[in-house]
Amino acid sequence: PFSCGDIDLSPISVLVTVKDSSANTATCSSEITVQDTIKPVASCHPTFSTTLVSSSVSISISDIDSGSSDNCGVAVYQISPSSFSSPGVYPVTLTVSDSSGNQDQCLSSVTVNAGPTPTPTQ
């Protein structure tokens, strides 16, 4: 059987030999192209909360991803948006892609809380 490791080796030459009940044989060669057409499965935490520390806050993929997977391995993780400059509730999209260009997305809700109010000094 072929696997994900064979994608970069494609096309692969194979020799096929068949034999009938009278022991007659025939042989031919063929080219096999291995492709990954199975898209990844994006998996998001439904919600995430963070607090503004200064004028903005950034989130990371690990804040949103809850175990995305792919049969040949996830090659790229992207989140959008990933930084926020005001309190609120924001939809964040996680996109996962494999090396064959297959993609999947999921959505998380990110709550950005106001940071502590600075105390004026006298």
Side-chain angles (χ1 to χ4, degrees):
F2 296 100
S3 69
C4 295
D6 297 313
I7 294 171
D8 292 335
L9 304 175
S10 292
I12 299 169
S13 296
V14 294
L15 188 62
V16 179
T17 303
V18 293
K19 184 189 289 188
D20 66 15
S21 59
S22 299
N24 299 307
T25 61
T27 302
C28 71
S29 63
S30 184
E31 297 276 315
I32 304 290
T33 300
V34 180
Q35 297 178 324
D36 173 19
T37 59
I38 300 170
K39 69 180 187 173
V41 176
S43 181
C44 287
H45 294 293
T47 61
F48 179 75
S49 293
T50 189
T51 302
L52 283 173
V53 177
S54 57
S55 61
S56 69
V57 64
S58 294
I59 59 172
S60 66
I61 290 163
S62 62
D63 296 328
I64 303 301
D65 182 53
S66 68
S68 299
S69 63
D70 182 69
N71 62 310
C72 291
V74 175
V76 177
Y77 296 80
Q78 295 174 310
I79 54 173
S80 180
S82 62
S83 62
F84 310 91
S85 57
S86 60
V89 178
Y90 301 91
V92 173
T93 302
L94 168 68
T95 303
V96 292
S97 307
D98 64 19
S99 59
S100 294
N102 303 305
Q103 291 185 342
D104 192 26
Q105 295 180 327
C106 58
L107 193 63
S108 183
S109 178
V110 173
T111 300
V112 178
N113 300 301
T117 305
T119 305
T121 56
Q122 297 183 18

